[in-house]
């Protein structure tokens, strides 16, 4: 079964500093990878996704992530963060069944990014 | 217009009670989901319905019963509420994922359930 590990539960950074949120996954089959963001007291919003093709994917709000198959990683990065980026970030993996009509998202435990002035 | 809406936003109730959470989507999607987020923010899928048919049913106590009256609605009914049911419950929807097309899940704002 697939699983997702987010290595850092909390990441504090200063405004305008770069940030990397780490995500590793395990799966015996091809996967699709996602990063979601959850702002305080809100639902989840998709930041970016990797389905196939280029291993560097760009998302909303200046975030990007790189899929590394050999290291089974999908780390999220932003070169310069803003206070408004303070939120919980979730890495997720989804695997299709053979029929392709049934899948589920498995989430990591989340990383709280806190951007300080 | 809210794409995926849930009611109520907050629900406080006593142990042993029965309660329902409603979810509606106006995106024309044919697949809907319920997720539970516990106090440590861990998010886990509970159920998924496609065209009113149950397609994912994780290991969830049978006190939880999803009901889908039509494609736009997926309600969650919980019987005999327990302290451990306290969590935030998220509804989501998407088009069904086929072998050639990924379809993004859109999440509702969540319902915070507190069992006293």
């Amino acid at each position: 079964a697939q699983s997702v590990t987010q290595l850092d539960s909390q990441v504090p950074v200063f405004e305008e500093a770069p940030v990397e949120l780490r995500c590793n996954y395990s799966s015996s089959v091809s996967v699709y990878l996602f990063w979601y963001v959850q702002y305080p007291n809100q639902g989840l919003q998709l930041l970016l996704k990797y389905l196939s093709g280029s291993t560097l994917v760009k998302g909303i709000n200046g975030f990007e992530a790189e899929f590394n198959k050999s290291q089974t990683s999908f780390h999220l990065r932003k070169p310069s963060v803003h206070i408004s980026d303070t939120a919980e970030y979730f890495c997720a993996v989804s695997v299709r069944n053979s029929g392709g009509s049934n899948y589920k998202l498995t989430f990591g435990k989340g990383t709280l990014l806190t951007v300080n002035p | 217009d809210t794409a995926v809406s849930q009611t109520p936003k907050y629900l406080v109730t006593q142990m042993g009670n029965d309660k329902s959470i409603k979810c509606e989507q106006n995106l024309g999607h044919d697949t809907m989901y319920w997720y539970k987020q516990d106090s440590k923010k861990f998010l886990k899928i509970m159920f998924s319905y496609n065209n009113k048919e149950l397609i994912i049913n994780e290991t969830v106590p049978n006190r939880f019963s999803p009901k889908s009256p039509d494609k736009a609605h997926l309600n969650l009914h919980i019987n005999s509420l327990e302290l451990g049911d306290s969590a935030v419950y998220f509804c989501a929807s998407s088009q069904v994922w086929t072998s050639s097309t990924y379809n993004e899940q859109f999440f509702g704002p969540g319902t915070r359930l507190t069992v006293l």
Side-chain angles (χ1 to χ4, degrees), chain A residues 32 34 36 38 41-44 46 49 51 88 90 94 96 99-105 107-109, chain B residues 9 33 35 37 41-43 45 55-56 58 90 94 96-99 102-105 107-109 112:
Chain A
Y32 299 86
F34 309 84
Y36 282 83
Q38 183 180 26
N41 299 313
Q42 294 187 29
L44 277 75
L46 182 66
K49 61 185 181 287
L51 305 181
E88 193 88 30
F90 293 93
S94 185
R96 300 175 301 180
S101 63
N102 186 5
Y103 77 105
K104 65 180 182 181
L105 286 173
F107 287 88
K109 293 193 174 182
Chain B
K9 191 170 174 61
Y33 314 80
Y35 290 85
Q37 185 175 45
K41 300 275 189 174
F42 186 51
L43 196 65
I45 190 167
I55 58 172
I56 294 175
E58 295 294 289
F90 287 99
S94 73
V96 68
W97 187 341
T98 69
S99 59
Y102 158 74
N103 289 296
E104 178 182 344
Q105 288 187 27
F107 285 78
R112 184 174 295 276

Side-chain angles (χ1 to χ4, degrees), chain A residues 34-111:
Chain A
F34 309 84
W35 275 99
Y36 282 83
V37 60
Q38 183 180 26
Y39 297 105
N41 299 313
Q42 294 187 29
L44 277 75
Q45 180 182 6
L46 182 66
L47 263 184
L48 48 78
K49 61 185 181 287
Y50 172 78
L51 305 181
S52 65
S54 173
T55 57
L56 182 63
V57 292
K58 294 189 183 298
I60 61 172
N61 301 339
F63 284 92
E64 63 180 33
E66 185 153 21
F67 170 59
N68 188 320
K69 189 174 181 180
S70 62
Q71 296 185 5
T72 60
S73 68
F74 190 54
H75 300 334
L76 180 71
R77 301 186 187 101
K78 186 169 182 178
S80 176
V81 294
H82 303 290
I83 290 185
S84 59
D85 291 323
T86 295
E88 193 88 30
Y89 291 80
F90 293 93
C91 183
V93 62
S94 185
V95 176
R96 300 175 301 180
N97 67 358
S98 58
S101 63
N102 186 5
Y103 77 105
K104 65 180 182 181
L105 286 173
T106 297
F107 287 88
K109 293 193 174 182
T111 297

Side-chain angles (χ1 to χ4, degrees), chain B residues 6-96:
Chain B
Q6 297 178 227
T7 53
K9 191 170 174 61
Y10 300 96
L11 183 54
V12 181
T13 188
Q14 300 287 331
M15 262 198 318
N17 284 350
D18 303 339
K19 290 294 178 186
S20 291
I21 305 172
K22 295 185 177 181
C23 178
E24 177 181 1
Q25 55 95 3
N26 62 6
L27 298 167
H29 291 160
D30 53 17
T31 305
M32 297 184 72
Y33 314 80
W34 276 110
Y35 290 85
K36 178 181 179 181
Q37 185 175 45
D38 63 23
S39 59
K40 296 183 179 179
K41 300 275 189 174
F42 186 51
L43 196 65
K44 188 169 164 46
I45 190 167
M46 301 172 69
F47 303 102
S48 176
Y49 269 72
N50 175 251
N51 283 323
K52 303 195 296 175
E53 191 174 328
L54 184 65
I55 58 172
I56 294 175
N57 186 355
E58 295 294 289
T59 308
V60 177
N62 57 15
R63 298 181 295 103
F64 290 79
S65 53
K67 288 184 172 55
S68 183
D70 55 56
K71 286 198 309 183
H73 296 84
L74 180 62
N75 304 323
L76 184 65
H77 189 75
I78 316 170
N79 289 326
S80 303
L81 278 155
E82 300 177 358
L83 293 177
D85 297 332
S86 294
V88 181
Y89 292 84
F90 287 99
C91 178
S93 74
S94 73
Q95 287 296 94
V96 68

